[in-house]
Each structure stands twice: as C-alpha cells, then as structure tokens.
Amino acid sequence: MILYEYPFNERIRTYLRLEHLFRRLALLMSREHPVDHHHALATLFEALDVAARADLKSDVMKDLERQKGVLAAYRGNPNISEAALEQVIGQLESGFNALNDMGGKIGQSITDNDWLMGIRSRIGIPGGTCEFDLPGYHAWQQLEPARRQADLARWVSSITPLAESVRLLLKLLRDSGAPQKVAATAGQLQQNLPQGRNFLLLRLRIDPSLNLVPEISANRLMASVRLMKHEPAERLQPSTDDVTFELTLCA
C-alpha cells in the first residue's frame, strides 16, 4: 500500500516537511560516499531553511505541553497502561526541556560556522561546489568516511532536539486516528467531517497496483479526494473507476 498524507494547517505541513528532511538526512549520513555526505549537507541546509520560521520552536513546545496535558488526564484510568503512559509523558517532558535549553535560534551553531555558511552560499548554484570554488570543502570530502560522519553528527546535533520532538508529535498525531475503508465513486470521494473535532492530518493508503494517485483537499468541514490515473512519463488523467481505499483522520 502507498501512503499519502495531507496536513490541515501550515504548522503540521511544516512538521511533515521537517520529518521528511530528517529521514533523508539520517539515511545519507549512514552512507560513506562523499556524494552522499554532500547531499546530507544540502539536506541539513534545507532543514535549517524550513526551521527558520521565528515561532517554530514556540509552536513545538506548545504542542509538547498540550499533548502532555491530554495524556496526563488518563492517569488512573484502569484501561490504560500506567508504565506506557508515563514513558510517553517522560518523552514529551524531555523534548520540551531539550528545546527549552537550546540557546538562540534553531541551528545557531551551524549558522555561526563561517566554513559551513560558505558551502551553503554555493550549494544552490549549479556546480557551485567544485574544487576550484571551494578547495577546503573538496579537501574535507577526501577525508575518511568515519571522520566525515563524525563531523556531520556534530553539526546535526544542534537540531536533534527539534527532530526528536517533531517525530514524537507526529507519531502521537498518527496514533490518534482509526483507519476506515471508504469507496470513491467514479474516482471521487467527498466526506463531511464530524463537528466538534479539530482534525489535523488525513492519511490515505491505496493499492499501488491500481496505478492511481490521489489529489486531496480538506478543511474543517469536508475532505475531498479525486483519483488520477498514473501512467509513467504521462500526464495524470482523472479516473472514473469505483475504487476502495483506506482513510484515516487524525486529530
């Protein structure tokens, strides 16, 4: 099954973008080739660009506190595992404290590094990081993989608290939804959303053998899905087939 996710607001959209970049960064750092580490740095700079929003740190900390309050209300509930509950609450507290202890802006130690900023200023230029433009960067790429990985780990550590907090918040959000089977008639589905609930994320799973791609739109009142036929190297075309797929609404 292929999973598609649609955020209902800009804050969740930012969290999903950061999660996407953090996952890519972890994968590239685990490899050893200089090209992978070049793209790891490029991904790190992308994450910094996304995290540059002034109120992001505050938003994440507020969400951590809100989730802690929601879970704390389950203490003493006989249907809830106290050990599991306290473990998650502890993770939320650790994330909040780690972000609170971060001085200055997110990734401040990276932006204060003139060598890294020199690479950042050139990395968006086609071919801008050739050895004749950045000889010091070229020399770094010739180091042993373990040395480069250690440097990357040190630089990434300045945004690790943000990465862990976003990961935890998105996990809790995804766990809040219950999947249901729905049917799109003639390739389209429109579903009214229950009143009184503030949905933040729509998740859709569809069988890849159908060769269909969902175009999703949603607001606090309604969710809409239009299925498009996907043929390699061709423009998407509307589907008119009746199709069943899995839909999850997370609040």
Side-chain angles (χ1 to χ4, degrees):
M1 302 290 278
I2 299 179
L3 171 65
Y4 296 87
E5 294 187 317
Y6 184 86
F8 279 62
N9 61 40
E10 188 61 30
R11 188 177 82 260
I12 302 302
R13 183 174 289 110
T14 298
Y15 289 178
L16 290 173
R17 284 175 175 155
L18 285 170
E19 180 190 54
H20 170 76
L21 292 169
F22 292 145
R23 284 176 174 172
R24 186 205 300 169
L25 182 55
L27 176 63
L28 292 167
M29 286 174 59
S30 69
R31 298 174 180 172
E32 297 188 346
H33 199 280
V35 172
D36 291 310
H37 291 169
H38 168 81
H39 288 293
L41 271 179
T43 301
L44 175 58
F45 297 146
E46 282 188 66
L48 287 178
D49 288 339
V50 176
R53 205 185 74 200
D55 55 352
L56 176 64
K57 180 178 172 182
S58 174
D59 281 349
V60 174
M61 293 175 69
K62 287 177 182 176
D63 279 346
L64 291 169
E65 278 289 276
R66 182 180 62 82
Q67 285 287 358
K68 178 184 171 183
V70 170
L71 293 178
Y74 287 101
R75 283 180 170 138
N77 188 321
N79 298 317
I80 301 294
S81 167
E82 286 289 334
L85 180 63
E86 292 303 325
Q87 181 183 19
V88 177
I89 290 176
Q91 291 173 345
L92 290 165
E93 290 176 343
S94 296
F96 181 91
N97 292 333
L99 283 173
N100 196 42
D101 291 341
M102 289 175 61
K105 296 179 180 179
I106 294 172
Q108 185 72 48
S109 62
I110 298 173
T111 56
D112 287 344
N113 186 316
D114 291 340
W115 186 77
L116 287 174
M117 290 302 97
I119 299 169
R120 186 181 187 181
S121 68
R122 302 283 311 173
I123 209 164
I125 301 172
T129 56
C130 289
E131 66 273 13
F132 52 82
D133 286 313
L134 296 173
Y137 180 48
H138 180 67
W140 179 80
Q141 290 176 304
Q142 312 313 308
L143 297 175
E144 289 296 317
R147 170 66 186 279
R148 283 186 266 112
Q149 287 172 326
D151 287 340
L152 286 167
R154 186 174 73 255
W155 298 327
V156 169
S157 66
S158 67
I159 61 171
T160 298
L162 175 66
E164 289 299 314
S165 293
V166 167
R167 180 196 61 78
L168 179 58
L169 288 171
L170 287 176
K171 180 182 185 305
L172 292 173
L173 176 59
R174 289 169 177 137
D175 289 346
S176 71
Q180 57 178 324
K181 290 288 185 180
V182 297
T185 304
Q188 294 196 50
L189 169 73
Q190 283 194 339
Q191 181 171 317
N192 293 324
L193 301 182
Q195 298 300 301
R197 296 199 66 188
N198 182 28
F199 291 105
L200 301 175
L201 182 69
L202 181 153
R203 310 184 81 209
L204 186 156
R205 294 183 188 272
I206 191 166
D207 188 338
S209 66
L210 297 172
N211 290 327
L212 295 173
V213 175
E215 290 188 348
I216 305 169
S217 60
N219 55 45
R220 63 184 180 85
L221 300 176
M222 179 180 292
S224 175
V225 178
R226 182 173 68 163
L227 298 174
M228 309 291 287
K229 292 181 181 178
H230 174 236
E231 297 296 339
E234 292 186 13
R235 186 175 181 178
L236 295 177
Q237 299 292 334
S239 170
T240 56
D241 298 332
D242 294 343
V243 178
T244 301
F245 54 87
E246 183 184 282
L247 190 70
T248 306
L249 293 168
C250 307

